[in-house]
């Protein structure tokens, strides 16, 4: 149980275009999903917290207009990288908590990540 | 705010040897502690977690960790590693603030040598 599907797993796009990454909780509902960015040999950097039906909460230093997050339902959150540039190339990972167990002592369920390459 | 320190960025160990991956945390409030494993080009998978009670926590794949409050540590151990344990390991803390934010350490790459 507790499967999070992230799509696509890999994407290559040209500089200036936009890319949408989807994060779906397949067998549970998630009122909160988290988006992370992972640099090579670095930890996961929390970009934003996505709350179903409301605006996402962004971490300091993350551009809201560049990384658009939408959490339209209890099972789907999307991250859109707008006007992508080569420096946006990275590994993006989403995670979610089951709404039935949403306390801070419950583990996160992770998607398999998306490798974005901007040429 | 809480923070997590994983001092060892890489730990090479021979197959069937024991291993310890170190994790220290800092927090002004009580925290919950986790270890996650990440295989190449994949997301993270929960290995084990400490919430309360016994300070020795057993997880999947033969791993265990010990919570030491006085030393603010939560080191991960395995008595005998396998090639398949080669992966990145992340220590994480969660505290009751804001929107249940989870803070991760910088990770330790465990390299099992045949």
């Amino acid at each position: 149980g507790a499967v999070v599907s992230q799509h696509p797993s890999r994407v290559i796009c040209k500089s200036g275009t936009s890319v949408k990454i989807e994060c779906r909780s397949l067998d549970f509902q998630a009122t909160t999903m988290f988006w992370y960015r992972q640099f090579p040999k670095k930890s996961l950097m929390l970009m934003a917290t996505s709350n179903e039906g409301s605006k996402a909460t962004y971490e300091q230093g993350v551009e809201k207009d560049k990384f658009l997050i939408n959490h339209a339902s209890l099972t789907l959150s999307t991250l859109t990288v707008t006007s992508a540039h080569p420096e946006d190339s990275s590994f993006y990972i989403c995670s979610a908590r089951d709404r039935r167990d949403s306390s801070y002592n419950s583990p996160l369920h992770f998607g398999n990540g998306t490798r974005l390459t901007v040429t | 705010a809480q923070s997590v320190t994983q001092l060892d960025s890489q730990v090479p160990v021979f197959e069937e040897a024991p291993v310890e991956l170190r994790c220290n945390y800092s927090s002004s409030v009580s925290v919950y502690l986790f270890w996650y494993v990440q295989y190449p080009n994949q997301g993270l998978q929960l290995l084990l977690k400490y919430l309360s009670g016994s300070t020795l926590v057993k997880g999947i794949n033969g791993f265990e960790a010990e919570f030491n409050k006085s030393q603010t540590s939560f080191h991960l151990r395995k008595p005998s590693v396998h090639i398949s344990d080669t992966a990145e390991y992340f220590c994480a803390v969660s505290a009751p603030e804001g929107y249940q934010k989870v803070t991760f350490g910088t990770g330790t790459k465990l390299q099992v040598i045949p």
Side-chain angles (χ1 to χ4, degrees):
Chain A
V3 177
V4 175
S5 173
Q6 190 172 339
H7 179 80
S9 58
R10 290 178 178 272
V11 59
I12 301 172
C13 70
K14 292 187 176 181
S15 186
T17 62
S18 296
V19 174
K20 180 184 284 188
I21 302 170
E22 291 188 348
C23 181
R24 294 181 183 272
S25 54
L26 298 185
D27 49 3
F28 67 98
Q29 293 182 326
T31 50
T32 303
M33 291 185 174
F34 303 88
W35 286 96
Y36 293 86
R37 181 173 178 176
Q38 187 176 33
F39 297 93
K41 300 183 179 180
K42 294 286 186 181
S43 182
L44 286 79
M45 182 192 79
L46 179 64
M47 298 174 65
T49 302
S50 168
N51 298 294
E52 186 268 336
S54 63
K55 290 183 178 180
T57 303
Y58 289 82
E59 294 298 299
Q60 191 173 6
V62 178
E63 298 178 61
K64 300 178 183 181
D65 295 331
K66 181 166 189 61
F67 299 99
L68 300 178
I69 292 174
N70 183 275
H71 194 155
S73 75
L74 289 171
T75 59
L76 174 64
S77 176
T78 60
L79 168 67
T80 301
V81 183
T82 63
S83 187
H85 289 99
E87 57 265 31
D88 298 326
S89 298
S90 193
F91 194 56
Y92 294 87
I93 307 176
C94 72
S95 69
R97 275 202 178 102
D98 191 324
R99 70 180 301 198
R100 297 169 298 180
D101 186 21
S102 59
S103 62
Y104 65 96
N105 61 7
S106 60
L108 297 174
H109 306 292
F110 285 85
N112 279 338
T114 297
R115 174 73 61 191
L116 171 63
T117 303
V118 184
T119 60
Chain B
Q2 62 266 22
S3 65
V4 180
T5 302
Q6 292 180 250
L7 290 174
D8 305 309
S9 60
Q10 197 164 341
V11 173
V13 63
F14 286 103
E15 192 174 15
E16 296 184 6
V19 69
E20 178 180 84
L21 306 183
R22 297 181 295 168
C23 172
N24 289 88
Y25 69 93
S26 171
S27 177
S28 58
V29 298
S30 296
V31 296
Y32 293 133
L33 296 155
F34 307 83
W35 274 99
Y36 288 86
V37 59
Q38 182 182 32
Y39 297 102
N41 294 313
Q42 291 188 23
L44 279 70
Q45 178 184 359
L46 180 69
L47 269 181
L48 48 79
K49 61 182 178 181
Y50 172 77
L51 305 181
S52 64
S54 174
T55 57
L56 183 63
V57 180
K58 293 188 182 298
I60 62 171
N61 300 341
F63 284 93
E64 63 181 32
E66 186 160 17
F67 171 62
N68 188 317
K69 189 175 182 179
S70 63
Q71 297 186 2
T72 60
S73 67
F74 189 55
H75 301 331
L76 181 70
R77 302 187 184 98
K78 185 170 182 177
S80 176
V81 296
H82 302 289
I83 293 291
S84 58
D85 293 324
T86 295
E88 191 89 27
Y89 292 81
F90 291 94
C91 183
V93 298
S94 178
E97 61 180 30
Y99 38 83
Q100 308 161 19
K101 181 177 175 178
V102 177
T103 302
F104 288 86
T106 51
T108 298
K109 176 67 184 297
L110 174 61
Q111 183 73 43
V112 180
I113 305 164

